[in-house]
Amino acid sequence: MSTPNETRVEPASSGHVFEGGFADPVMDSQAVFRRVMNALAEPGTIADLAGFVSPPTPLSQATAAILLTLADYDTPVWFAKPENNDDAIGWMSFHTGAPRTADVFRASFAVLEKMSPVEAWSSFLIGTSDYPDRSTTLLLPVESLVGGEPLKLTGPGIETQTVIAPVGLPEGFVAVMAENRAAYPLGLDVLLVCGGEAIGLPRTTRIEEA
Amino acid sequence: MTLPEYNFAYLDEQTKRMIRRAILKGIAIPGYQVPFASREMPMPYGWGTGGVQVTAAILGPDDVLKVIDQGADDTTNAVSIRAFFAKTANVATTTKTADATVIQTRHRIPEAPLSAGQVIVYQVPIPEPLRFLEPRETETRVMHGLEEYGLIHVKLYEDIAQHGHIATTYAYPVKVEDRYVMDPSPIPKFDNPKMNGSPALQLFGAGREKRIYALPPFTNVVSLDFEDHPFEVQKFKQPCALCNATGVYLDEVVTDDRGGRMYVCSDTDHCETRREEGHHGPGLPISGAQTVKEDAA
């Protein structure tokens, strides 16, 4: 299964790689999953994923909790800046067994950087018309999930409309998400993460500047 | 020596992760059937292995589980699955729709409206609505991909040509968010309108066929029909013989070998709740009603 570009990293000497996983893997992953499930089923709601894990920097608690809940040897994970993520990749590999992939087109999950350039997102998997589920889920860190310019969300999971106001979205985010929506049922699913919180933006959600 | 114990909610963690990922994809693509690596469960296919796997993957220690089989809390399938999770996950169980956080169902949606925060898990035998029209999975995949649903309209049209009306009464196909045609599982078409815009999250598991699909809350679900033959649900001439309820789905119960029969609520919790509230149907003797009340108290 492993390709030359897929590596299970031998954790470096840093002790932090081994510490800070789920205290109770069964119950903690269930609790995190239900919150992530609700976040994607009700786009715009903020899921509280804090306090489950203590990951090495620069991983946020939310990103780390999502990876520990959903990633394993079946799901290659792509990091935007692997050179800055030695400890993070080692930590993820140790706790999940998930391979880090350098091939963007093999990624089940992509751990992005803040202000990730959206032009590069076209390389991620959006599925095929037969199997639209074979797509990449993006974990996009932002400065804050509240206090920014309001964005109006509509679509499945939202009764009429809801508003989010994250700070620190990449340039062109609304436009690229509109293209993503237009490709439905193909597309990327995005989780905005900040600290211990996350907002789910599945491909069905229409995002407009309010 | 203590015997080895099962993991919480029976399934191992890797299986739960795989199912959880399929559920999230299903939520992101409402009505699309996500393939998953269905496991052997300690019950035969056809007894709800898909629903059981979905329930096992989402269930937590604080959940309150209700299981119904054709609306009833007290039939073999419902009792067994409820006992299975009471034993393997040690969760609280209930028969009250309003008290449940997770409801696993075979072929009914409860009469009491579902609320936000509840999850309903459907057991699905044949998830592919096009399967009896096109047996090849490779072809039905392409048909869904191309949104090529003419065949299913022909099927409904043939109903009209032969019977004068759309004769499909259960597993009545729906279109989700104007994109995917979906099998609502073999619920009576009476329940189809409850799927549309439901505040609850709806998950579907087909164990033998290895498919999971989902409807997030407030998803647009339309039953297929024609302008001159609009979708209609079943209507019943008489109220429930036990609780006098109207506008509910009734089961026919044969009461003797001389043609005697009565029609009673298929949703046992709804019927019991109404009788506890003092409703009496024409088929319920007054003394019988008192006995029921005492039993329930």
Side-chain angles (χ1 to χ4, degrees):
Chain A
M1 284 286 286
S2 281
T3 67
N5 277 329
E6 229 171 69
T7 42
R8 283 183 181 76
V9 177
E10 291 302 321
S13 54
S14 165
H16 198 55
V17 161
F18 306 109
E19 307 294 325
F22 285 139
D24 183 341
V26 174
M27 295 305 171
D28 288 355
S29 59
Q30 189 277 335
V32 171
F33 168 70
R34 279 291 277 274
R35 294 169 195 211
V36 174
M37 180 175 85
N38 287 340
L40 283 165
E42 294 168 30
T45 57
I46 295 179
D48 178 10
L49 309 177
F52 289 99
V53 290
S54 319
T57 52
L59 280 187
S60 67
Q61 285 201 18
T63 299
I66 292 166
L67 287 176
L68 256 56
T69 300
L70 296 173
D72 59 27
Y73 55 77
D74 277 339
T75 60
V77 180
W78 183 87
F79 283 78
K81 290 251 170 64
E83 63 275 18
N84 297 344
N85 281 277
D86 273 353
D87 278 358
I89 292 168
W91 185 86
M92 177 200 73
S93 296
F94 176 73
H95 289 282
T96 69
R100 197 274 293 185
T101 181
D103 293 332
V104 67
F105 53 86
R106 292 180 53 83
S108 296
F109 298 96
V111 179
L112 303 179
E113 298 282 299
K114 280 179 188 166
M115 305 299 280
S116 166
V118 298
E119 302 77 44
W121 291 9
S122 58
S123 307
F124 291 116
L125 296 170
I126 58 169
T128 65
S129 63
D130 289 4
Y131 293 95
D133 55 307
R134 295 178 181 174
S135 58
T136 308
T137 299
L138 307 187
L139 305 175
L140 175 64
V142 294
E143 288 295 332
S144 169
L145 294 177
V146 294
E149 291 294 313
L151 296 174
K152 187 180 86 171
L153 308 184
T154 52
I158 302 164
E159 185 167 13
T160 50
Q161 65 173 64
T162 189
V163 172
I164 60 169
V167 179
L169 288 172
E171 186 120 354
F173 177 78
V174 172
V176 82
M177 292 305 283
E179 282 173 32
N180 191 51
R181 181 66 188 74
Y184 184 82
L186 310 189
L188 304 166
D189 305 314
V190 180
L191 283 150
L192 304 181
V193 291
C194 177
E197 296 181 325
I199 289 177
L201 298 174
R203 64 192 78 179
T204 48
T205 303
R206 281 174 286 271
I207 306 173
E208 296 162 82
E209 273 151 7
Chain B
M1 193 187 105
T2 55
L3 289 167
E5 288 184 4
Y6 287 113
N7 190 25
F8 177 80
Y10 184 77
L11 291 176
D12 61 278
E13 288 303 297
Q14 201 278 330
T15 298
K16 285 187 199 168
R17 262 194 308 276
M18 173 269 297
I19 294 172
R20 286 167 180 168
R21 289 193 297 259
I23 290 171
L24 297 186
K25 295 290 188 190
I27 288 170
I29 318 167
Y32 165 74
Q33 303 161 50
V34 185
F36 82 111
S38 180
R39 299 297 195 241
E40 295 271 347
M41 297 300 285
M43 64 186 72
Y45 285 140
W47 287 67
T49 53
V52 164
Q53 289 179 78
V54 170
T55 300
I58 67 171
L59 209 58
D62 299 330
D63 276 314
V64 180
L65 178 69
K66 171 182 166 84
V67 185
I68 53 174
D69 173 3
Q70 299 272 13
D73 292 280
D74 55 2
T75 52
T76 309
N77 200 221
V79 171
S80 304
I81 292 171
R82 204 161 55 232
F84 176 77
F85 284 115
K87 184 171 186 175
T88 59
N90 199 28
V91 291
T93 60
T94 185
T95 59
K96 299 284 178 210
T97 302
D99 295 345
T101 56
V102 176
I103 301 170
Q104 182 172 329
T105 176
R106 175 179 174 273
H107 307 359
R108 268 318 302 280
I109 299 174
E111 302 291 356
L114 302 181
S115 53
Q118 287 184 311
V119 183
I120 181 164
V121 179
Y122 297 80
Q123 301 171 198
V124 183
I126 309 283
E128 177 51 74
L130 307 169
R131 181 59 68 236
F132 291 110
L133 306 168
E134 169 51 66
R136 290 167 295 179
E137 171 71 9
T138 47
E139 285 300 306
T140 53
R141 286 251 148 215
V142 172
M143 290 162 78
H144 283 293
L146 299 177
E147 214 176 337
E148 177 52 70
Y149 294 129
L151 209 52
I152 202 147
H153 281 102
V154 171
K155 197 262 172 201
L156 295 177
Y157 169 75
E158 284 180 350
D159 268 7
I160 295 169
Q162 288 181 15
H163 306 285
H165 61 99
I166 298 176
T168 304
T169 55
Y170 67 96
Y172 190 105
V174 296
K175 198 162 195 187
V176 179
E177 285 290 321
D178 205 28
R179 178 59 183 83
Y180 282 102
V181 166
M182 185 190 95
D183 175 22
S185 87
I187 57 171
K189 66 178 177 180
F190 181 87
D191 285 340
N192 274 23
K194 297 177 193 169
M195 290 189 149
N196 181 35
S198 171
L201 171 62
Q202 304 176 73
L203 303 176
F204 301 77
R208 181 184 51 217
E209 303 292 322
K210 302 175 174 55
R211 297 289 183 273
I212 284 170
Y213 51 106
L215 297 172
F218 308 115
T219 295
N220 189 12
V221 181
V222 178
S223 301
L224 299 180
D225 62 359
F226 298 100
E227 276 177 21
D228 53 344
H229 285 273
F231 174 77
E232 281 180 352
V233 299
Q234 291 100 331
K235 294 190 182 68
F236 298 91
K237 292 193 182 83
Q238 63 288 308
C240 169
L242 299 180
C243 77
N244 214 29
T246 55
V248 297
Y249 192 75
L250 301 179
D251 282 341
E252 181 182 9
V253 180
V254 175
T255 52
D256 55 38
D257 59 1
R258 294 184 299 279
R261 58 201 58 216
M262 65 198 289
Y263 290 86
V264 299
C265 285
S266 133
D267 184 337
T268 54
D269 170 56
H270 185 73
C271 199
E272 280 166 18
T273 304
R274 281 180 54 83
R275 275 179 276 152
E276 280 165 17
E277 288 166 357
H279 295 278
H280 297 282
L284 188 70
I286 296 302
S287 59
Q290 283 163 347
T291 310
V292 168
K293 270 186 176 172
E294 283 163 15
D295 285 352

